[in-house]
């Protein structure tokens, strides 16, 4: 999978070199391209934004600059993701769906967002465009939201996880991906005992207990 991100803060994406994502890149399972939006600006001040038509607070990112940045990246295999708190909520099914894409482009808005004609233009040319939010709170921009999405999506690409059983277990779980509580050594820690069922060796009963615990946890955290 190829993943491009367009941003005025390329340094936000340095964590892509770490851990699971860094390894996936070394193995050739995913390739990242980080593009500085400012390099596509057309004036001496490297302007990327201007005041909103109709008035109001804040600044809006210029469509001309975004068009210049996105045109060379877009193909009809591309899923263009526009990060905005007004977008569709990102969740595990969306991560699974995007993990089968050939090419993701993350357009990271800052300020009050990107001129809406950027979305209109690429939708009108029959590209796949998704406005996405990662939750009901407001971030300073789409960079951190992109990192969240990239991590959730790339770990679903075959070969990225060292132990694919952890993926199988997530999807077999009744709640989809909300897990049961986990325990490891020692069997007693600060007077707290590991549930005896987990030491029983009875795999059928252990599976039942875990399913019940996952369901209870999901209900409590709703
Ligand atoms: Cl994608 N962008 C911004 N600026 N804030 C957010 C968000 C995105 N998702 C949740 N809050």
């Amino acid at each position: 999978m190829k993943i491009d991100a367009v941003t005025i803060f390329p340094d936000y994406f340095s964590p892509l070199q770490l851990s699971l994502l860094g390894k996936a890149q070394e193995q050739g399972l995913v390739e990242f391209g980080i593009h500085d939006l400012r390099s596509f600006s057309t004036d001496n001040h490297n302007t990327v934004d201007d005041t909103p038509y109709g008035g109001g607070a804040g600044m809006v990112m210029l469509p001309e600059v975004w068009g210049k940045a996105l045109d060379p990246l877009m193909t009809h295999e591309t899923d263009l993701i526009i990060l905005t708190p007004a977008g569709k909520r990102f969740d595990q099914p969306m991560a699974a769906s995007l993990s089968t894409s050939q090419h993701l482009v993350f357009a990271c808005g800052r300020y009050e967002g990107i001129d809406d004609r950027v979305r209109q233009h690429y939708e009108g040319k029959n590209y796949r465009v998704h406005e996405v939010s990662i939750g009901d709170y407001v971030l300073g921009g789409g960079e951190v939201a992109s990192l969240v999405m990239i991590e959730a999506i790339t770990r679903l690409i075959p070969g990225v996880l060292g132990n694919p059983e952890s993926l199988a277990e997530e999807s077999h779980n009744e709640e989809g991906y909300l897990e049961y509580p986990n325990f490891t050594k020692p069997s007693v820690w600060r007077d707290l005992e590991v549930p005896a069922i987990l030491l029983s060796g009875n795999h059928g009963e252990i599976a039942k207990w875990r399913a019940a615990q996952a369901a209870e946890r999901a209900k409590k955290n709703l």
Side-chain angles (χ1 to χ4, degrees):
M1 180 192 283
K2 178 77 200 290
I3 298 180
D4 289 294
V6 182
T7 171
I8 57 168
F9 293 119
D11 290 348
Y12 258 106
F13 289 87
S14 28
L16 295 180
Q17 306 312 315
L18 304 176
S19 187
L20 200 70
L21 296 181
K23 251 178 228 129
Q25 200 177 10
E26 280 171 26
Q27 293 175 302
L29 296 169
V30 59
E31 186 186 345
F32 298 118
I34 308 303
H35 311 270
D36 188 350
L37 181 72
R38 252 184 234 290
S39 69
F40 298 93
S41 70
T42 54
D43 69 344
N44 291 335
H45 297 100
N46 288 334
T47 305
V48 296
D49 61 340
D50 207 332
T51 54
Y53 277 119
M59 300 291 269
V60 177
M61 297 186 102
L62 297 167
E64 182 62 20
V65 182
W66 273 103
K68 282 191 157 54
L70 293 176
D71 281 345
L73 298 177
M74 296 300 293
T75 76
H76 287 282
E77 313 306 318
T78 302
D79 286 276
L80 172 61
I81 295 156
I82 299 177
L83 285 313
T84 162
K88 180 176 178 192
R89 176 83 65 86
F90 183 60
D91 59 10
Q92 193 67 18
M94 197 193 298
S97 166
L98 291 172
S99 76
T100 66
S101 176
Q102 293 289 301
H103 184 211
L104 304 179
V105 173
F106 289 86
C108 300
R110 283 259 145 192
Y111 315 111
E112 305 311 306
I114 302 171
D115 187 307
D116 192 54
R117 289 170 294 180
V118 174
R119 175 189 65 77
Q120 292 173 30
H121 170 77
Y122 292 104
E123 278 185 2
K125 300 268 180 206
N126 284 323
Y127 290 101
R128 290 194 294 273
V129 182
H130 317 264
E131 288 188 298
V132 181
S133 159
I134 63 162
D136 287 342
Y137 37 78
V138 180
L139 303 169
E143 285 78 7
V144 169
S146 293
L147 285 176
V148 166
M149 291 184 65
I150 290 168
E151 184 161 313
I153 291 164
T154 51
R155 66 187 287 286
L156 301 178
I157 297 171
V160 169
L161 283 193
N163 177 6
E165 277 173 33
S166 16
L167 269 190
E169 214 158 283
E170 276 171 41
S171 53
H172 285 166
N173 198 303
E174 207 176 333
E175 311 310 318
Y177 31 82
L178 301 171
E179 277 212 51
Y180 48 80
N182 289 294
F183 303 89
T184 184
K185 269 74 81 182
S187 63
V188 182
W189 177 75
R190 298 190 181 177
D191 292 335
L192 296 166
E193 291 179 15
V194 171
I197 181 74
L198 298 178
L199 310 176
S200 70
N202 185 335
H203 298 293
E205 287 303 311
I206 289 172
K208 267 194 248 167
W209 180 86
R210 283 177 166 169
Q213 290 284 311
E216 193 176 307
R217 199 186 227 186
K219 198 162 36 157
K220 190 179 87 184
N221 292 335
L222 212 68

